[in-house]
Amino acid sequence: MNEQELREGLRSEMAGTTPPPPLSTTAALGAARRTHFRRRALWASLGSAAVVLAVTGFAAVATPEGDVYQPAGHGPLGSPDTKAPWPTGPDGQPQEDRTARAGAKYEQGIHLLREVVSVVPAGFTAPEDPPNQSEEPTLRTQQAQFEAEVDGVDVWSYLTSVAVAKGKGTGRVIVEVHDAPNPLPTEPCDLAQKFWGMRGECRVETVGALRVGVVVRPGSDDRLDQWSAYRHPDGVVVFVAQGVRLDESRPALEDLPFSVPQLATLAVDERFHLK
Amino acid sequence: MSDRDEAFAEYFAARSGAMRGTAYLLCGDWHRAEDLVQTAFVKLYGVWNRISRHEVLDSYVRQILIRTFLDERRRGWWRRERVGGEDAEQVAPPDSPESRLVLLQALARVAPRQRAVLVLRYWEDLSIEDVAALLECSPGTVKSQAARGLDTLRGLLTPTYSAIEMGER
């Protein structure tokens, strides 16, 4: 394939895809306004010096030299708002996006984070982000996100990542929980192969009478080293993953925190069985 | 509605669809694409009144889109990583009835930075110099990343891609 063939191929294939309904202009404007005014209030509280720095810093980014760019793929102009609003938040307003930032679902995510921290094995620590840091947290993160509405019921998923450290190395443990009903497979290894679109060498571990899929070695996508997957009888799905590396800025762990049997056991652990 | 809100809404209605297409090519998932677009437009709203040259709006939004995408990938995981649904990271088998998606699925397996270069060069049709400026790298790096990305695509698509009648659908 040469450059021109790729160019034509992208246009041809994108023309054949079926995108979801157009983004809602009303929702986007509302989210932008809320974020903007919240940030303005924060900046005001930080004092005028910070504001000056922020504006100065912005200027280099916001006025890039450049021509008028026309992306090749033009969406429908002035399309009607057809997208359903996000679930209602605790303030009675639709959420800005899929992520819950307050309320019961958000608290459920916080609860899961605490539970994940509690299973970090002896010999490892779970470092925390510095308090009041301006950047988004990286060492302990959680998110509750709306997945879909099924038969009038909002279905959510919860994702938590906890950094685990030992010596000079820092890795991570991730737990992701999916509400029922969800479209995920039932067979243990089919289920495990669905995690984050990654695949790898899978085997079925038994925990008592329960069967858990565990990918013990990833394929070409090596963002994580091992992960287990279990579907509870009520349909709730739990993934537990571990990796020797948190990110590219830190040295990796020499050893993973959990053995394969331990990883399988954690997948069926009732502490992660959110209801 | 204020003048600012009105102008922003008009621009969003006109351009969010195209930006979502670019974001989809970057991340291979419509939901994540929507989140990338929303992030970019939220940031745009915050600086709307300070952009005196509104002809650079596309450039600004595209820049935020690309940087947010690369930053998410650099951090190794993200909120929007999804299970089930579209298996964007996997190449369809050669005999898949969904052969239409072979190229897009292969693109999703190209390294993120190379993928960004391919999308900007061959979807957005930006010049090498513009891509270099957007990615804050040299034109030589853009050329080498594009060449490596194309090589990767060729390897992923052979021999299935030859069966696709490109440009004739």
Side-chain angles (χ1 to χ4, degrees):
Chain A
M1 185 198 330
N2 61 31
E3 295 180 351
Q4 187 56 29
E5 286 172 332
L6 173 59
R7 187 175 278 112
E8 292 171 359
L10 289 174
R11 279 151 184 70
S12 173
E13 296 206 13
M14 281 298 279
T17 60
T18 306
L23 293 159
S24 162
T25 301
T26 306
L29 178 61
R33 283 176 54 84
R34 282 191 293 276
T35 303
H36 177 62
F37 291 113
R38 201 163 51 228
R39 283 181 182 158
R40 281 185 63 177
L42 174 64
W43 283 119
S45 70
L46 292 175
S48 58
V51 173
V52 170
L53 282 174
V55 171
T56 308
F58 154 77
V61 175
T63 57
E65 293 301 322
D67 300 323
V68 179
Y69 300 145
Q70 291 296 330
H74 291 285
L77 300 182
S79 304
D81 282 356
T82 56
K83 186 176 181 181
W86 297 114
T88 304
D91 58 357
Q93 298 295 315
Q95 292 179 185
E96 296 175 4
D97 51 31
R98 289 175 178 277
T99 307
R101 293 182 169 80
K105 302 300 181 184
Y106 174 81
E107 293 302 328
Q108 188 83 299
I110 295 290
H111 167 74
L112 180 62
L113 174 61
R114 289 198 196 98
E115 296 291 8
V116 176
V117 171
S118 74
V119 303
V120 172
F124 291 84
T125 60
E128 294 184 71
D129 294 286
N132 304 321
Q133 76 171 11
S134 58
E135 298 177 356
E136 287 191 51
T138 55
L139 300 177
R140 293 185 183 184
T141 61
Q142 65 79 28
Q143 171 166 319
Q145 65 188 30
F146 170 73
E147 289 288 337
E149 183 183 300
V150 179
D151 297 332
V153 177
D154 288 349
V155 178
W156 289 71
S157 70
Y158 307 87
L159 172 61
T160 280
S161 173
V162 171
V164 288
K166 186 177 187 180
K168 293 180 180 177
T170 306
R172 57 181 168 164
V173 172
I174 288 174
V175 175
E176 186 166 294
V177 180
H178 287 256
D179 277 352
N182 58 61
L184 295 168
T186 52
E187 280 302 307
C189 275
D190 290 346
L191 182 61
Q193 302 280 15
K194 282 291 184 183
F195 182 60
W196 285 17
M198 298 190 294
R199 292 174 181 272
E201 179 185 329
C202 182
R203 68 189 194 209
V204 176
E205 290 279 312
T206 54
V207 182
L210 308 177
R211 298 170 72 236
V212 179
V214 184
V215 171
V216 296
R217 194 167 295 108
S220 57
D221 188 337
D222 57 357
R223 283 173 286 173
L224 292 160
D225 293 295
Q226 292 180 334
W227 58 93
S228 56
Y230 177 65
R231 176 185 280 279
H232 287 274
D234 63 2
V236 171
V237 165
V238 177
F239 295 102
V240 182
Q242 58 181 348
V244 294
R245 187 177 292 281
L246 175 65
D247 56 33
E248 295 169 359
S249 68
R250 299 171 171 85
L253 291 170
E254 292 182 0
D255 301 302
L256 289 166
F258 302 111
S259 65
V260 169
Q262 287 173 326
L263 204 59
T265 302
L266 284 172
V268 305
D269 195 312
E270 278 301 316
R271 285 175 288 186
F272 301 153
H273 186 191
L274 303 180
K275 296 168 184 169
Chain B
M1 187 182 285
S2 68
D3 290 347
R4 168 203 185 131
D5 286 2
E6 199 168 324
F8 176 84
E10 188 178 327
Y11 178 71
F12 182 90
R15 302 301 295 144
S16 61
M19 292 298 173
R20 187 173 61 165
T22 298
Y24 175 70
L25 286 174
L26 289 170
C27 65
D29 180 297
W30 285 113
H31 292 300
R32 288 172 64 195
E34 288 180 1
D35 285 352
L36 283 172
V37 168
Q38 176 159 310
T39 298
F41 274 88
V42 163
K43 290 182 178 177
L44 173 66
Y45 184 86
V47 300
W48 185 269
N49 288 339
R50 298 178 209 152
I51 299 182
S52 55
R53 296 167 54 208
H54 274 219
E55 68 271 21
V56 301
L57 287 175
D58 276 2
S59 172
Y60 179 78
V61 173
R62 191 183 294 110
Q63 189 176 53
I64 299 298
L65 204 65
I66 293 285
R67 290 183 180 174
T68 304
F69 164 72
L70 291 175
D71 188 51
E72 288 176 1
R73 303 298 300 197
R74 182 182 59 77
R75 288 165 64 161
W77 74 284
W78 176 233
R79 311 163 170 186
R80 303 262 20 102
E81 298 288 4
R82 299 171 67 82
V83 297
E86 297 174 43
D87 205 357
E89 302 292 337
Q90 302 299 323
V91 178
D95 57 351
S96 167
E98 297 297 328
S99 58
R100 171 195 301 284
L101 295 176
V102 166
L103 176 57
L104 301 188
Q105 289 172 320
L107 183 66
R109 295 197 63 176
V110 175
R113 204 166 175 85
Q114 292 174 22
R115 196 186 320 161
V117 169
L118 293 180
V119 171
L120 292 172
R121 282 284 289 135
Y122 305 118
W123 173 251
E124 292 276 2
D125 276 336
L126 298 189
S127 69
I128 288 174
E129 290 72 24
D130 287 338
V131 176
L134 201 151
L135 294 176
E136 296 182 322
C137 64
S138 69
T141 301
V142 172
K143 290 178 188 172
S144 64
Q145 296 263 8
R148 288 168 60 189
L150 272 168
D151 279 347
T152 305
L153 272 181
R154 285 189 197 104
L156 290 168
L157 294 170
T158 303
T160 60
Y161 200 75
S162 60
I164 298 175
E165 297 172 0
M166 295 176 55
E168 294 183 14
R169 282 193 294 271

